[in-house]
Every structure is written in C-alpha cells, then in structure tokens.
Amino acid sequence: MPTTGNTTSADADAGTGTGAGQSWTALRHLRHLLELLDQGAPAEQFAPPAAPARGLHLDGPDAAVVAEATRVALRIRRTLGQHRRREAELAALFDTAGDLARLRDLDAVLKAIVRRAKLLLGTDVTYLSLNDDEAGDTYMRVTDGSVSAAFQQVRLGMGEGLGGLVASTARPYSTGDYRDDQRFRHTTTIDGAVAEEGLRAILGVPLRLGTRVIGVLYAADRTARAFTPDEVALLSSLADHAAIAIDSARLLEETRSALVDLNEASRTIEAHSEAMRRAEDAHDRLTDLVLRGADITDVATAIGTVLQGGTLIHDADGTELARSGTDSGQPSARAVAASRTGGRAVSADGTWVCAVLAGPELLGSIALTGRPDLGDADRRLFERAGVVTALLLLQRRSVAETEDRVRGELLGDLLTGAADPASLPARARRVGVNLDHPHAVFVLHSATAPRQRLLSAAARVAHARKGLAGLHHDDVVLVLPLGRLEPGVGVGAGAAGLADELGQALGCPVTAGAAGPVTGPGRFPDVHAEAVRCRTALRALGREGSGADLGDLGFLGVLLGDQADLGGYVRRTLGPVLDYDARRGTELVHTLRTYFDEGTSRSSAAEALHVHVNTVVQRLDRIGRLLGHDWHRPERALELQLALRVHRVQRADGSAAPPPA
C-alpha cells in the first residue's frame, strides 16, 4: 500500500534501504508539489521541497528530477494563474457587456464604463474623454476617482498630451511617469491639470467605431509604474465594448429624440389640421354672409366672434365703415402700409391690422383689438377675413358704381335740362330722391384733394342724406334736400357746414358755393349756374375752404345773381338800423347817410344835421352797436353806402322810385 505523507524518513530507510529511501523521498516531494498546485499556494512555498532533498544528499539524478519538477510546477502555477486571471477578466468583460447592454441613458453608460475600468484594473483614477468633431479636440466627459476640478474640465487638442495622441493616432499609449515622458506634446494646461490631480502612470486606449475614433478611455495611478500588456489588452477590450455601448446609447437617444420630434410633429399636424378646418369653416361662414347680401357690419361682427376680439373696418381713406365690440379709432397708417407691403397682418400697439387688398389696390383695412397674443393659426384666419372683406368691398363698390352712374345720369339731366322734365321725378324716386321737396345745389372745389376723393366724400354725404352727387362739367356737384340740413339752417349756412365737414374728412380745405332752394326739376339749371358763380366768387375773394351762397356775398352777390333782390340786400345790410328807427322814431339812417356824404367827418356831419358833434358821436356809437364794430371798415362801409343809396331811391312798398328831377 502507498505510504502517507506522515511516514518518516527513518521508517522509509528501515523498510527499503538507503537507495530505496532516497527514491521514496523524491516521490514525496513530487507529491507535495502537486498538492501545492492544487491548493493554489503562493510561489515562495514551491522552493522549500528542494532543500530537504539536497539535505538528504539525493544522488544527482533524483536531485535533478526534483529540481526540474519544481520548475515545471512553478510554470504550471503561472499558467493556471494566467488562465484564472483571463477567466476573471473575460467574466468581468461579459458582465460589463451585459451591464452596458441594459443601460439606455448615455450618461449612465459613460459612468458605468469608467467605474468598471477602475474595478478591473484596480487603478486610482479612470476617466473617459469624447472627441468634439466641430471643435477639433477631445474633452473630458466622465471621471471616477478624480478630485481636481481643473482636471475634470480639461480639453486636449488633437496630438496634445497622451490623450490627444491616442485620439489622433487611434493607438494605445501608456507612460510610467507622465511628467518626465518626452514622447508626448506637453502643454501648460494639460500638465497643470495632471499635476493637480497627482497622476504619474497613465494608460489611454482609443474608443473606436470601425475606423473612427470617438474618444479615449484612461486608467491612471498616482505612483509611477509600468502597465503590463495584459492591462493594455484588458482596457482595450473594455474600450471596444464601451464604444459599441456608447454608440448604441447615442443611437437610442437619437431615436428617442426623433420619436419626440415625431410626436411633436404629429401634434403640430393635428393642430394645423384643426386650425385649417377652423379657418375653412370661418372662411365659409364669412363668404356665406357676403353671398347672402350681408352688410359690412355683419361681417365685422362675424370676424369679432370668430377671433374673440373687437373689429374695426375702414376704407382706403381711413373712413370707418363698420365696428363691432370696440370703440372707434383710426388704424395706424404705418401698420396698414406694412401689411400692404408684406401681404400679412401686422401688430401695432397690441392691435392687429390687416390691409384689405384687391391685387395691388388698397381697398381698406381691418383692425382686431383685444387679441395682442394672436397665434399663427388665428393670424392666418384674420388674413382670410381680409380676403372676404375685400370681396365684400368690391361687391359694394360695384353696386355703388352702378348706383352712382344712375344717380350721375339723373344729376346731369337735372342740371342741363336736356331730358323730359316730366320723367325726372319718377327716376329720382327710384334712387330715393323726392324732387317735390326743396333742394339746394352745392358746387364743390378743393385745390389739394384729388377730384375723385372729393367726389367719393360727396357721394357718402349724398347717400347719408338722400341726395345726389356727381361730376358735371368737371365740377363736383352735390344736391341735398333742405330737410337734411341742420334744422333752421339756410342754404348759405348749410354750405359753410358742408365745407367744414368735407374739409375734415379729406384733411384739406374744401370750398362750397351754394344756391337754392329749388323745387321741381325745371329750375335746377339756373340754380346750378348761380352756385357755380358763387363758388367762383368765393375763390376770387380768397375765401378758399369756406361755404356760402350769393346772399352771403353782399352787393357782389346781388350783382352776380340772376334776379336783383335789392330790397333783400338792403334788409340784410341795414335791417337793424331800419328797425331801430321804425321803433324809436330816430334818424339813425339819415345820420349814417349824412356821415358818409360828408366824407366820414363827424364835425361836418354835425353842421349838416344842425346838431352838436357829440350828438353825432352818440348816434354813430348806437349804429356801431346795431351793425357790429367793423361797420366802418372799407369793405363794410362800401356795402352800407350802396345799401343807403338803394334805400334812398326805393318807394315805401320796396320798389325802386324814379330818380329826383
């Protein structure tokens, strides 16, 4: 039976003899080596078995066998150690690959990579940098074990330092002591960061995707040492896994971002579709209003309801056409011009303005109030409302032009007298004008406003007051019923008010010569001719921008009139003085006539009247209070003298008396 390990050498010698004992001792040593291998004992325990063998004076062959067996055992131990270490590394790599495969967040992937590298290599610090293709350098992304803020934020240019060299060459590099290694391009920034972290030994391997380097993985110690090929291979294997994991995480992140963008695009498309549907519904609603004959106010109300704001619609001249849910106001001329130029609605001081266009022609504008935060969809809807409003304004203009043409033809026939007078009243009634009522004729002129603008303004007045407006012999003529003037206002005062109204509407002076009243179609040509003469007289007298009839022009009006109403002229000029004499029995008229006959000399007048000069002064003061303080001005004095002369030759019934013999 085999002996046990506890059998003594004496027993062996006793049982087998000296030769046999030496062989038995050699076998015991061989068995001991196998046990050490099985136990995974450290290398220093393999050396002692040879000493006893030498001490027992084994012969040469046995001693050589024992020594060789010891060397083989040590080699086997190293091989087994390498296999165990390789198995551990492979297991760690597989575990790392599994961990990385389960990660979905790029930051988590990067942190897992450097943490596993630190565990596998057992170094003081591990870190990872990624290449910045736009900047052309590589920057620190994640660290594990680092304590320096400067080191954690360092950037390396391609070819600078150990990391820059790895990133630019796509090859692993290591150094036992970085600060003394002259193989690398040292920079102040990099050397300062490395020194602040206290690193000495550094190993860097590239993170590669095919032939492209995306970064560098590092392992570093704070003591100088050399990195073994196994450590380089291990870190390189980890870097290969890490590069794939990084790319997968990046692709996954891009996929997520694409999905987010896709969802956002889907929501945008849905919102756009809803906005388009809402815009189409609003457009159909507004178009239906126009087709059903709704007026501009109905359209303004509909726009305000759809867009939840107040609406103002103006024509091209800035005249308000309709209003809904807001106060009156003028649109910003700058905003209208900007909208007209750009073809889009624009915002001005919280109010949205859209030019209403027919091609390049400006028809008017729409203003939307109460919606300063108008979104793109509502803005497009507002712009569509401008298109519908343009359609309505064009339709209104077409109707108005047809109606104005009919009214213009009627006005022309009235003023020329060429048509059958019997047919004119019926034609007038068809356009809402009753010629049986008294009318006044106004001839208009503006030195600055275009004639078409003046005609448009006059037409608006005619429509509002049931009159007629049009061009006649290049003059803008307006015929209005007296009942449509202010109550108690005569033709002359009505002309003055009309000149003011049109001047404010156009922003420039308008002159209005008036005549009338006239009833029935027969006398319109004569009254029109008188209004023309009045307009001409106003301009000749420098009274541009005013309105009057011939009666307001004094004796000049009498001279220009077809019928010399001398009695009326005297009454308009001297009426207050005549009435005073009639009531009081005074002689103010005689005193005034004598005053003028004596060359406006008070003393000469007193002698001619046989009164004291103070009496003349008192009478003249009374006349001034009756006629106005400007009665002695040259123009007014001339009118008074003419009236006094006419009065002197008149009979008591108002007819002219024959001159004295």
Side-chain angles (χ1 to χ4, degrees):
M1 292 180 62
T3 60
T4 66
N6 295 326
T7 304
T8 63
S9 59
D11 294 337
D13 291 341
T16 63
T18 302
Q22 291 180 350
S23 298
W24 181 249
T25 301
L27 291 174
R28 287 174 54 208
H29 287 313
L30 293 176
R31 180 179 177 180
H32 181 66
L33 290 173
L34 293 175
E35 290 176 346
L36 290 176
L37 288 173
D38 181 60
Q39 296 170 2
E44 56 269 18
Q45 293 185 15
F46 283 76
R54 290 191 297 271
L56 292 175
H57 305 292
L58 293 175
D59 58 13
D62 289 336
V65 169
V66 171
E68 180 62 24
T70 301
R71 287 192 294 272
V72 171
L74 288 173
R75 285 199 302 272
I76 293 173
R77 179 190 175 281
R78 284 195 298 273
T79 301
L80 290 175
Q82 290 175 350
H83 284 304
R84 291 192 187 99
R85 185 168 63 252
R86 189 59 179 166
E87 287 179 4
E89 292 172 354
L90 289 174
L93 287 175
F94 286 132
D95 291 342
T96 299
D99 292 343
L100 295 179
R102 287 189 293 271
L103 293 175
R104 293 294 181 266
D105 181 73
L106 181 58
D107 288 336
V109 169
L110 298 180
K111 291 177 181 178
I113 290 170
V114 297
R115 187 178 303 113
R116 186 56 59 93
K118 189 170 185 292
L119 292 174
L120 289 177
L121 273 73
T123 54
D124 296 329
V125 182
T126 51
Y127 50 99
L128 182 147
S129 66
L130 293 179
N131 290 359
D132 188 339
D133 294 332
E134 293 184 1
D137 60 7
T138 181
Y139 63 96
M140 197 71 68
R141 179 65 190 275
V142 180
T143 64
D144 193 338
S146 171
V147 295
S148 168
F151 182 78
Q152 295 167 12
Q153 298 174 4
V154 71
R155 297 184 74 99
L156 297 80
M158 291 299 180
E160 294 178 355
L162 182 146
L165 188 60
V166 174
S168 62
T169 62
R171 295 174 56 191
Y173 279 92
S174 66
T175 178
D177 193 346
Y178 177 79
R179 64 187 178 187
D180 296 330
D181 197 330
Q182 299 304 314
R183 292 177 300 159
F184 310 110
R185 188 194 308 170
H186 291 263
T187 67
T188 302
T189 302
I190 299 173
D191 288 356
V194 172
E196 186 172 318
E197 189 64 53
L199 299 182
R200 301 285 295 278
I202 303 175
L203 168 63
V205 296
L207 298 170
R208 285 178 293 201
L209 287 175
T211 59
R212 184 168 64 94
V213 176
I214 64 172
V216 179
L217 179 62
Y218 305 84
D221 278 323
R222 294 187 172 92
T223 57
R225 74 175 183 89
F227 287 94
T228 67
D230 289 341
E231 290 176 314
V232 175
L234 177 60
L235 193 62
S236 296
S237 298
L238 183 60
D240 291 339
H241 284 81
I244 296 173
I246 290 173
D247 191 53
S248 298
R250 182 177 294 168
L251 290 175
L252 182 60
E253 191 170 278
E254 291 175 355
T255 302
R256 287 174 179 167
S257 178
L259 288 175
V260 170
D261 293 342
L262 183 61
N263 291 334
E264 183 65 26
S266 178
R267 286 191 294 269
T268 301
I269 291 172
E270 291 177 0
H272 181 69
S273 298
E274 175 62 22
M276 290 294 294
R277 185 196 61 78
R278 182 165 169 255
E280 289 174 359
D281 290 345
H283 187 269
D284 293 342
R285 177 179 177 183
L286 294 174
T287 304
D288 185 60
L289 283 175
V290 175
L291 295 178
R292 287 191 290 106
D295 60 18
I296 194 71
T297 302
D298 295 331
V299 173
T301 302
I303 294 173
T305 301
V306 170
L307 294 175
Q308 300 178 346
T311 310
L312 280 165
I313 300 179
H314 294 81
D315 65 10
D317 297 325
T319 302
E320 182 180 304
L321 301 178
R323 172 167 49 95
S324 175
T326 187
D327 297 329
S328 295
Q330 284 294 320
S332 168
R334 180 177 298 178
V336 173
S339 177
R340 181 181 185 183
T341 302
R344 301 293 305 276
V346 298
S347 178
D349 299 327
T351 298
W352 284 89
V353 177
C354 182
V356 179
L357 303 172
E361 181 185 359
L362 178 67
L363 301 179
S365 65
I366 310 176
L368 181 68
T369 63
R371 287 294 308 275
D373 57 340
L374 197 65
D376 289 341
D378 283 348
R379 178 178 176 178
R380 288 191 293 270
L381 199 157
F382 183 45
E383 292 164 353
R384 282 197 175 195
V387 175
V388 175
T389 304
L391 176 62
L392 178 60
L393 292 182
L394 286 174
Q395 183 182 24
R396 282 166 50 94
R397 187 169 72 178
S398 177
V399 172
E401 287 175 349
T402 302
E403 185 177 341
D404 288 343
R405 184 168 60 253
V406 173
R407 288 173 173 270
E409 292 173 355
L410 173 61
L411 180 65
D413 290 343
L414 279 174
L415 300 183
T416 59
D420 180 11
S423 66
L424 294 178
R427 290 172 56 190
R429 281 193 295 272
R430 283 196 290 269
V431 294
V433 176
N434 190 347
L435 295 180
D436 294 333
H437 293 163
H439 284 73
V441 178
F442 303 89
V443 178
L444 309 175
H445 179 267
S446 176
T448 54
R451 185 179 302 161
Q452 192 59 43
R453 283 194 64 200
L454 179 58
L455 177 60
S456 298
R460 286 194 292 269
V461 174
H463 282 294
R465 302 181 186 177
K466 296 188 180 301
L468 298 173
L471 286 175
H472 186 68
H473 297 322
D474 295 332
D475 287 329
V476 177
V477 181
L478 182 61
V479 174
L480 295 178
L482 290 182
R484 293 290 175 170
L485 300 177
E486 294 184 19
V489 173
V491 174
L498 184 62
D500 289 341
E501 179 182 350
L502 293 175
Q504 291 179 5
L506 298 177
C508 58
V510 174
T511 305
V518 57
T519 302
R523 292 192 56 243
F524 269 94
D526 295 336
V527 175
H528 168 254
E530 183 177 325
V532 171
R533 290 194 296 271
C534 182
R535 188 278 317 273
T536 303
L538 288 172
R539 296 187 63 201
L541 293 173
R543 292 175 59 179
E544 290 278 359
S546 64
D549 61 3
L550 288 180
D552 297 325
L553 300 183
F555 195 75
L556 180 60
V558 174
L559 295 176
L560 294 173
D562 287 338
Q563 297 177 355
D565 182 13
L566 298 179
Y569 171 69
V570 171
R571 288 297 307 170
R572 287 192 297 271
T573 307
L574 293 174
V577 180
L578 293 172
D579 293 340
Y580 190 88
D581 281 350
R583 289 195 309 270
R584 303 292 182 89
T586 55
E587 296 183 351
L588 294 182
V589 172
H590 180 58
T591 301
L592 183 59
R593 184 185 301 114
T594 304
Y595 174 71
F596 283 126
D597 290 343
E598 294 299 326
T600 67
S601 171
R602 297 177 182 180
S603 59
S604 298
E607 291 180 6
L609 293 172
H610 306 290
V611 296
H612 194 275
V613 67
N614 289 338
T615 302
V616 174
V617 171
Q618 292 172 0
R619 291 179 181 178
L620 293 178
D621 288 343
R622 173 65 63 182
I623 291 171
R625 286 194 294 272
L626 293 172
L627 298 180
H629 66 278
D630 63 340
W631 67 272
H632 53 75
R633 294 182 60 186
E635 300 89 348
R636 188 78 184 279
L638 176 60
E639 294 283 344
L640 291 173
Q641 291 179 67
L642 291 173
L644 287 169
R645 289 181 180 275
V646 172
H647 179 261
R648 192 172 191 175
V649 298
Q650 277 185 323
R651 291 198 177 102
D653 62 0
S655 62

